[in-house]
Amino acid sequence: MPVKSNFSVTPYSVSGNVDYQKLIKKFGTKPITGTLLRRISKYTGGDLHFMLRRGVFFTHRDLGWLLDRYDQGEKFYLYTGRGPSERTHIGHLIPWTMTKWLQDKFGSKLIFQITDDEKFLSDESLDLSDTRRYAMDNILDIIALGFSKKKTEILIDTDNADILYRNAIRIAKKINYSTVKAAFGFNESTNIGFIFYTSIQAVPSILESVREGRNVPCLIPHGVDQDPHFRVTRDVLPKLGYYKPASIQSIFVPPLSGVSGKMSSSDPNSTIFLTDDPKTVEMKIKKYAFSGGQPTIEEHRKLGGNPDIDVSFQWLKIFFEPDDRKLQKIEDDYKSGALLTGELKSILIEKINSFLEKHQERREKARDVIQDFLVSREDRK
Ligand code: TRP
């Protein structure tokens, strides 16, 4: 199987077969080592989320520093976000689930930014009413994941222009055009709102410090494509007297079509939405999930399948089978040919549908509590 070595990752497009080790070098981040993982499990009573154990979160910035501060008694807060350009899908669950786990384990506050402004500015076809609609829709999925009502605030950018703008201009003043051009690939026809945007995404990483009047460490769990925003942010913040935010960064969940590139909502057959019904899930997996199996049952029994390129197996590994022993057995059986592609797909379909059934119930209940999560007027500073 020829593997393309050309790939590109920016917050606005991902293409090719991403080589994560090369990406670490290119972006200048650090791998999440066993030593760091052991340090984390020291605070969690030995518990380590399987996405950390399996390298789904594979790289970081300043995680060791953050834990040093924690040892000194400085609690950190969490920050993550969502650009509401479509319905939410399986891929979004990775950083959000990690954020929820960290909130549970460390009792951290969380700022969840909804960047409707970003999606309005970056997508020609979206109006502010579209991004608003997606924002309110996506927030239901976020709340359904079970974030603490007391410790979480969801900040919709266009509803919080005051706190965002006052801080964003201080940041924007320290960033020049050539920096963002290099980071995001802007050109002469890029609209100027979009050019300014990264300074808006930077604000939540200082917001607690602004509110508290002292530096508060910030940890940002995010997909690796967002790193350019925070690379720029980290260069600027010390000039304004703030800590740089730390981050932990995840790989992409492969699209159904194969293990290269990133899932995209604009191709509904490449992904599973959190609102898909059981029949749709079954159809999509059966029809579209790229298989690492052999063309015939006979050959498969003889030669076995290749889990590394099998999307169903990868989805189990990345998110849907937390139990290491069960996952290992599936892998072994698939490789030996004892487990057929159809059987592997059935395991995944079962897992996804039982997850979605519960998720969709919680999603409906979330409608009643949206207001409790939104940054309230009195709170704005
Ligand atoms: N730019 C992100 C997106 O397109 C949204 C976002 C804003 C975000 N702040 C963030 C993502 C912090 C991760 C962490 O979806």
Side-chain angles (χ1 to χ4, degrees):
M1 172 101 193
V3 178
K4 265 195 290 174
S5 65
N6 280 345
F7 68 94
S8 130
V9 175
T10 79
Y12 301 102
S13 84
V14 176
S15 65
N17 202 325
V18 180
D19 181 332
Y20 291 106
Q21 293 317 310
K22 277 195 189 145
L23 200 58
I24 286 180
K25 289 220 177 74
K26 216 154 128 182
F27 281 0
T29 57
K30 294 278 183 314
I32 297 180
T33 58
T35 311
L36 277 170
L37 292 181
R38 277 189 294 280
R39 276 191 81 181
I40 294 175
S41 53
K42 214 178 71 196
Y43 306 108
T44 61
D47 193 12
L48 204 53
H49 197 281
F50 69 89
M51 289 196 285
L52 286 167
R53 287 202 310 269
R54 294 182 192 164
V56 174
F57 281 80
F58 70 105
T59 193
H60 75 98
R61 289 186 188 270
D62 276 345
L63 183 56
W65 168 84
L66 187 92
L67 297 174
D68 291 345
R69 308 282 3 130
Y70 194 77
D71 285 340
Q72 300 298 313
E74 279 184 59
K75 288 204 161 182
F76 60 87
Y77 72 104
L78 294 158
Y79 159 38
T80 195
R82 160 73 180 149
S85 55
E86 240 296 356
R87 288 167 289 165
T88 33
H89 61 58
I90 298 286
H92 301 124
L93 290 172
I94 307 310
W96 302 354
T97 302
M98 181 50 63
T99 305
K100 152 91 172 112
W101 184 80
L102 289 165
Q103 178 174 67
D104 289 348
K105 295 292 172 190
F106 290 87
S108 315
K109 280 196 191 173
L110 163 64
I111 298 176
F112 207 122
Q113 182 181 33
I114 307 291
T115 59
D116 53 343
D117 52 348
E118 174 189 22
K119 296 298 145 171
F120 169 70
L121 290 166
S122 65
D123 189 329
E124 206 48 56
S125 69
L126 291 175
D127 219 329
L128 277 175
S129 59
D130 301 318
T131 51
R132 158 71 40 172
R133 192 161 33 83
Y134 285 129
M136 298 321 283
D137 172 89
N138 295 177
I139 286 172
L140 297 177
D141 290 306
I142 292 162
I143 294 174
L145 292 181
F147 292 106
S148 153
K149 203 191 290 186
K150 259 212 186 114
K151 293 193 164 157
T152 303
E153 51 184 351
I154 298 178
L155 185 132
I156 303 177
D157 282 356
T158 58
D159 281 348
N160 291 279
D162 43 10
I163 41 174
L164 287 170
Y165 189 70
R166 264 186 297 137
N167 289 298
I169 53 173
R170 295 198 292 140
I171 294 167
K173 195 174 181 179
K174 304 272 184 223
I175 305 174
N176 57 40
Y177 178 60
S178 59
T179 301
V180 286
K181 188 178 173 198
F184 304 107
F186 295 149
N187 58 48
E188 292 301 308
S189 58
T190 305
N191 75 67
I192 60 173
F194 195 20
I195 291 166
F196 174 75
Y197 168 74
T198 195
S199 57
I200 296 277
Q201 183 157 326
V203 173
S205 56
I206 59 167
L207 210 47
E208 274 302 293
S209 304
V210 171
R211 285 168 169 166
E212 296 284 320
R214 64 180 168 91
N215 262 325
V216 186
C218 174
L219 174 63
I220 313 174
H222 64 78
V224 66
D225 61 321
Q226 295 298 308
D227 185 70
H229 282 299
F230 298 117
R231 202 157 65 224
V232 173
T233 302
R234 285 167 51 88
D235 283 346
V236 173
L237 293 194
K239 297 180 191 161
L240 297 170
Y242 297 107
Y243 284 156
K244 296 178 178 187
S247 65
I248 53 169
Q249 311 188 17
S250 59
I251 61 169
F252 306 119
V253 180
L256 287 173
S257 52
V259 289
S260 67
K262 185 188 163 197
M263 250 178 206
S264 156
S265 306
S266 50
D267 176 4
N269 294 331
S270 81
T271 186
I272 292 204
F273 294 106
L274 299 187
T275 45
D276 278 348
D277 61 35
K279 282 267 159 276
T280 307
V281 170
E282 184 178 355
M283 181 278 288
K284 283 185 179 175
I285 300 294
K286 283 190 172 158
K287 193 162 170 193
Y288 300 113
F290 185 84
S291 166
Q294 304 296 339
T296 67
I297 292 187
E298 267 169 22
E299 282 173 273
H300 190 88
R301 291 277 186 229
K302 208 160 77 200
L303 302 168
N306 179 357
D308 297 340
I309 59 164
D310 191 287
V311 171
S312 302
F313 180 78
Q314 291 301 318
W315 282 26
L316 287 170
K317 179 174 171 185
I318 292 171
F319 193 76
F320 287 102
E321 182 49 85
D323 186 322
D324 288 344
R325 296 233 306 275
K326 286 188 185 157
L327 186 77
Q328 188 63 53
K329 173 143 177 49
I330 293 170
E331 180 166 10
D332 293 345
D333 288 352
Y334 196 54
K335 273 185 174 161
S336 76
L339 188 70
L340 300 173
T341 293
E343 293 165 338
L344 174 60
K345 288 191 174 190
S346 296
I347 296 173
L348 179 65
I349 291 165
E350 222 288 298
K351 287 274 177 189
I352 297 177
N353 279 337
S354 78
F355 173 84
L356 287 185
E357 189 188 323
K358 284 181 235 119
H359 179 81
Q360 290 167 6
E361 263 172 40
R362 290 191 295 255
R363 191 180 195 279
E364 283 314 303
K365 294 206 184 104
R367 293 181 195 279
D368 303 332
V369 294
I370 287 193
Q371 292 308 321
D372 300 340
F373 282 89
L374 297 181
V375 177
S376 66
R377 227 158 251 288
E378 308 84 75
D379 243 26
R380 296 182 197 169
K381 262 196 195 165

